[in-house]
Each structure stands twice: as structure tokens, then as C-alpha cells.
Amino acid sequence: MSLLPDATTLIQFAIATVILAITPGPDMTLFVSRTLSQGRTTGFASMAGALCGTLIHTTLVAVGVSALIVASPMAFFVLKIFGAGYLVFLAWQAVSKGSAFSPEKKAGPRISLFRSWAAGLGVNLLNPKIIMFFMTFLPQFVSAHDPNAPGKLFFLGVMFIVLSTPVVVPMVLAAERFSAAMKASPRVMRVVDYLFGGVFSAFALKILTAQAK
């Protein structure tokens, strides 16, 4: 299948996706906070909004990066080098500052499911880190000379959603326990941070060494 990356790429991407999914950030904070204050349905609505945002990011990357490949393979090469540097930055930030996770349990007025969905969409679409991540992360798994690069980019974006969903859903279902466990287990969070940093540093090194050949 022309849209299907090779097995090695799929395995590498799957590992990175799972690690990213278990690393708490703004999206996860929103899901858990809404679940604690408004209930699971609201939490899932926020999660659905964020996943829609991820699909939009994926589409924009597939279209934009594919146009960049056609216009200038050298520009695509520069993007990948920049991407490697950004992955190093993310790794350093995870290790030095730790994961951002501070859900609130305080109850408030009922929020409609649409507003919860829109909040998830907004947090995802307007987060510059997520924008930069998708712009620099997905292209690392395709070749500038691959005529099927746009389809493969979109396939990987959908794969990201498919793999991260079963990781996030149990966290929403067990939001209270998950939140308490994260707050009570700083050592576990540090292990996740170092795991995140190590994997993405390895990806950055892989890109840099591959381009040097």
C-alpha cells in the first residue's frame, strides 16, 4: 500500500505517540479538570474537540509540507533539521521543567457539551507547542523524494489519533484516581519526563545523522 510507511517507521512512530500520549500537558489537564468538575461526558467532549484539532493539524501539515516538498526539497531539508533541533528543545524542557499537569476539581456552572468540545478544540489548535510539534514531528517520518509523502503524512496523523485515544480514554474514566496518582507520585512523573526526553533526543539524533550521510 503506497500510503503505508515501512514497518520500522511505523514502530518508531507508535513508540513516540504512546510516550507523547502518556505525558500530561494542557490537553490532558483540560480533560481531567472537566471530568472532575462536570463529569465524564464533559471530559470526553473536551477530548473529542482536541482530537478534531489534531486532525486539522494533520491535514494542514499534509497539505503544507507536501507543497513545500514540491516547491523546494532543500526547504524541506531545512525543516527537518529545524525539527530535529525542536525535538531536542522539547526533550530538554521535559527533563528540566517537567510535565505540565495541574487539574482543578472545583465545581462550577454546567457547561454544554458543545462548549466543552470547543474548549478542547481551542486548546489544541491555539497551543503553539502543538503546532510546532506537528509541523516538525510528522515530516521526520517521510522522505522529501517520496511521491506518496502527503498520503503518508495524513496516515501517520490518523495513526497518532488511533493510538493515543485508548491511552487517554482510561485516564478520563479514572480521572480522580489518575489526578491523585500523578500528584502523589512525582518520581513516576520524572520517569515519564526522562522517557519523553530520551526518545525524542534519539529521534533528533537519528535525523541529524541520517542527513549527514
Side-chain angles (χ1 to χ4, degrees):
M1 184 183 298
S2 60
L3 299 184
L4 190 65
D6 60 83
T8 301
T9 298
L10 290 176
I11 293 173
Q12 293 175 342
F13 186 79
I15 293 173
T17 296
V18 172
I19 292 176
L20 181 64
I22 65 175
T23 304
D27 285 7
M28 182 63 68
T29 299
L30 176 66
F31 306 157
V32 174
S33 295
R34 287 294 169 87
T35 301
L36 292 176
S37 62
Q38 303 284 328
R40 291 176 179 176
T41 303
T42 303
F44 281 126
S46 298
M47 186 184 78
L51 292 178
C52 288
T54 298
L55 188 59
I56 293 174
H57 283 305
T58 297
T59 302
L60 292 176
V61 169
V63 174
V65 172
S66 61
L68 185 62
I69 293 174
V70 174
S72 174
M74 179 56 68
F76 183 67
F77 168 78
V78 172
L79 175 64
K80 296 192 76 169
I81 295 299
F82 177 77
Y86 186 65
L87 291 179
V88 171
F89 169 74
L90 288 178
W92 172 81
Q93 194 172 49
V95 173
S96 62
K97 297 184 178 181
S99 301
F101 184 71
S102 54
E104 298 180 1
K105 189 178 180 180
K106 61 181 182 181
R110 293 298 302 175
I111 301 175
S112 70
L113 295 182
F114 176 77
R115 287 185 59 189
S116 295
W117 176 87
L121 180 68
V123 165
N124 189 277
L125 288 181
L126 300 178
N127 188 334
K129 289 185 178 181
I130 295 178
I131 296 173
M132 291 298 298
F133 180 80
F134 272 86
M135 278 296 297
T136 58
F137 178 66
L138 287 182
Q140 311 305 324
F141 297 90
V142 299
S143 169
H145 305 290
D146 189 343
N148 299 308
K152 288 183 177 179
L153 284 168
F154 192 79
F155 176 88
L156 289 173
V158 173
M159 180 179 171
F160 180 91
I161 295 174
V162 171
L163 291 179
S164 59
T165 298
V167 175
V168 177
V169 166
M171 296 178 183
V172 175
L173 289 174
E176 192 160 8
R177 292 183 180 181
F178 172 75
S179 177
M182 292 298 97
K183 291 180 178 180
S185 306
R187 290 185 179 180
V188 173
M189 290 305 302
R190 290 308 290 160
V191 170
V192 173
D193 291 334
Y194 278 104
L195 185 61
F196 180 93
V199 168
F200 284 101
S201 294
F203 274 122
L205 180 61
K206 175 179 178 294
I207 294 303
L208 293 175
T209 56
Q211 297 295 349
K213 295 180 181 179

